[in-house]
Amino acid sequence: MKEFRTGYVSIIGRPNVGKSTLLNHLVEQKLSIVSRKPQTTRWNLLGIKTSTDSQIIFIDTPGLQKEPKLALNQQMNKAVSSTLNYIDIILFVVESLKWNELDDNVIELLKKSTSAQLFLVLNKVDKIADKSDLLSFIDTVVKETDFSEVIPVSATKGTGLEELESAIIKNLPFAPPLFPDDQVTDRSERFFAAEFIREKLMTRLSDELPYHLSITIEEFKEENNVLHIYANIWVERKGQKSIVIGKDGSVLKAVGREARKDLEVMFDKKVNLKTWVKVKKKWTDSTQALKQFGYFE
Ligand SMILES: Nc1nc2c(ncn2[C@@H]2O[C@H](COP(=O)(O)OP(=O)(O)OP(=O)(O)O)[C@@H](O)[C@H]2O)c(=O)[nH]1
Ligand SMILES: [Mg+2]
């Protein structure tokens, strides 16, 4: 019998390169929220993939930011660093052909803070018309750093994901599994309820407003086969509250409807979702508020 391999694989990169999309496609389930805006992910999230001879424990992390000022953003960066001392492999995700100084910032941190194996994952290759551009991009990037693997992928289209997965498994240590084979994440149902609501708000609201929102779940109970979920949406100012609610409650209704659909798929149950919008001044820069909203684990 082949020996079993198990290990932690952290997905790290600057905001918006497609880390969460990659996690979802690797575990073949929507766990992590995705949006077109940078800084969507705020917490580390495990996605566990178990097969007959391996268990890969992926960690999706927030996009690493350069010198963040607000307490919220500092906490997001800390979440990334907190994975660095126990992981086996890092998937350093970049957007193909779009290297910028934030990528330099990430690679600098990785080089100085971890001895884990470094895989370079070049995402969004579906956007490249001329593949020779990709080859010259790879040439430039690998000159600077010693990567154990360099793998072009498209997280949305699924290109390269099998190659990525087999390269990961080959490089994991021999060890028994750490989680039961039917467990796919470490997060609670409440966590997903809050995140799916936030995702719909991020998609629907423009500009800066999504960065001033946080969700708490006040009630989560099952009665007669229906899940009743009551959530607070926290904003920083009164003006933001009326935007989130929308004219005659239109925005909040649409968000509730969309989030409920996703939650019914995830929990395989009917969901009754109620939301309230509340103001907590300057919560993004208050350690106390961040604790109350669950940002410190
Ligand atoms: N064309 C294309 N778009 C992609 C691909 N992967 C992700 N995207 C898009 O890129 C955007 C950002 O994706 P996310 O998965 O949220 O990126 P992220 O790195 O997790 O972002 P943060 O959580 O903000 O750090 C979304 O609009 C995705 O649909 C890909 O392979 N091809
Ligand atoms: Mg993300």
Side-chain angles (χ1 to χ4, degrees):
M1 198 181 96
K2 265 166 79 181
E3 275 192 89
F4 203 88
R5 292 176 189 263
T6 298
Y8 282 94
V9 178
S10 202
I11 306 176
I12 296 179
R14 70 168 158 88
N16 219 32
V17 290
K19 299 177 295 301
S20 302
T21 310
L22 183 65
L23 175 99
N24 291 341
H25 283 79
L26 286 165
V27 298
E28 295 164 52
Q29 191 177 338
K30 181 177 163 177
L31 293 176
S32 202
I33 66 166
V34 166
S35 91
R36 286 167 56 192
K37 298 189 178 77
Q39 297 171 34
T40 299
T41 304
R42 289 183 181 166
W43 286 272
N44 291 346
L45 166 87
L46 294 193
I48 306 161
K49 186 157 192 185
T50 307
S51 61
T52 47
D53 50 15
S54 66
Q55 181 167 77
I56 316 174
I57 307 156
F58 292 105
I59 311 168
D60 184 24
T61 67
L64 198 71
Q65 298 160 63
K66 198 170 181 180
E67 294 162 15
K69 297 202 172 50
L70 293 174
L72 169 67
N73 302 86
Q74 288 166 1
Q75 193 53 29
M76 286 158 67
N77 267 14
K78 273 193 203 148
V80 184
S81 308
S82 75
T83 71
L84 293 176
N85 52 10
Y86 64 85
I87 42 177
D88 300 287
I89 297 172
I90 292 169
L91 305 184
F92 169 44
V93 184
V94 300
E95 180 168 345
S96 303
L97 314 188
K98 296 260 170 79
W99 186 284
N100 69 26
E101 63 154 332
L102 290 175
D103 295 298
D104 285 326
N105 179 39
V106 180
I107 197 79
E108 227 171 84
L109 172 87
L110 296 179
K111 280 180 177 167
K112 71 168 192 244
S113 336
T114 173
S115 54
Q117 294 184 64
L118 215 49
F119 286 18
L120 175 65
V121 178
L122 304 131
N123 192 25
K124 307 196 189 182
V125 290
D126 56 287
K127 286 168 91 175
I128 306 172
D130 185 349
K131 299 297 168 201
S132 63
D133 291 345
L134 180 63
L135 295 179
S136 46
F137 176 72
I138 293 176
D139 270 352
T140 337
V141 178
V142 297
K143 258 189 211 128
E144 307 284 325
T145 310
D146 192 16
F147 294 104
S148 352
E149 300 275 348
V150 177
I151 305 179
V153 303
S154 163
T156 45
K157 300 253 187 288
T159 326
L161 298 192
E162 274 178 32
E163 289 85 339
L164 175 60
E165 192 178 322
S166 31
I168 291 171
I169 294 172
K170 229 172 40 200
N171 284 281
L172 288 181
F174 290 112
L178 294 170
F179 293 91
D181 60 5
D182 59 350
Q183 186 172 343
V184 288
T185 185
D186 60 329
R187 291 296 189 168
S188 66
E189 294 173 323
R190 280 171 173 254
F191 174 86
F192 291 108
E195 284 293 85
F196 285 10
I197 297 168
R198 197 164 63 82
E199 181 183 61
K200 305 310 170 200
L201 287 161
M202 284 209 74
T203 312
R204 226 157 233 288
L205 299 168
S206 54
D207 306 326
E208 290 294 305
L209 189 45
Y211 302 110
H212 301 272
L213 297 171
S214 201
I215 318 294
T216 53
I217 302 298
E218 303 302 313
E219 264 261 23
F220 190 106
K221 59 179 182 200
E222 189 175 338
E223 265 171 22
N224 306 326
N225 231 11
V226 177
L227 272 179
H228 299 272
I229 304 172
Y230 302 156
N232 282 342
I233 300 168
W234 296 92
V235 292
E236 295 195 288
R237 292 190 294 273
K238 259 184 147 171
Q240 297 171 337
K241 179 172 168 171
S242 38
I243 301 173
V244 172
I245 294 171
K247 196 168 178 292
D248 301 323
S250 57
V251 175
L252 209 50
K253 269 187 215 144
V255 164
R257 204 169 42 237
E258 289 165 9
R260 181 169 50 77
K261 268 196 220 148
D262 274 15
L263 292 170
E264 287 184 339
V265 171
M266 176 169 245
F267 300 135
D268 198 18
K269 277 214 176 73
K270 252 192 118 34
V271 167
N272 167 31
L273 176 63
K274 290 209 164 73
T275 49
W276 287 267
V277 187
K278 299 199 167 169
V279 179
K280 173 86 108 195
K281 285 202 180 111
K282 297 195 177 157
W283 71 263
T284 51
D285 209 20
S286 150
T287 311
Q288 199 203 350
L290 289 174
K291 275 192 188 140
Q292 185 196 335
F293 293 167
Y295 287 90
F296 291 85
E297 295 156 301

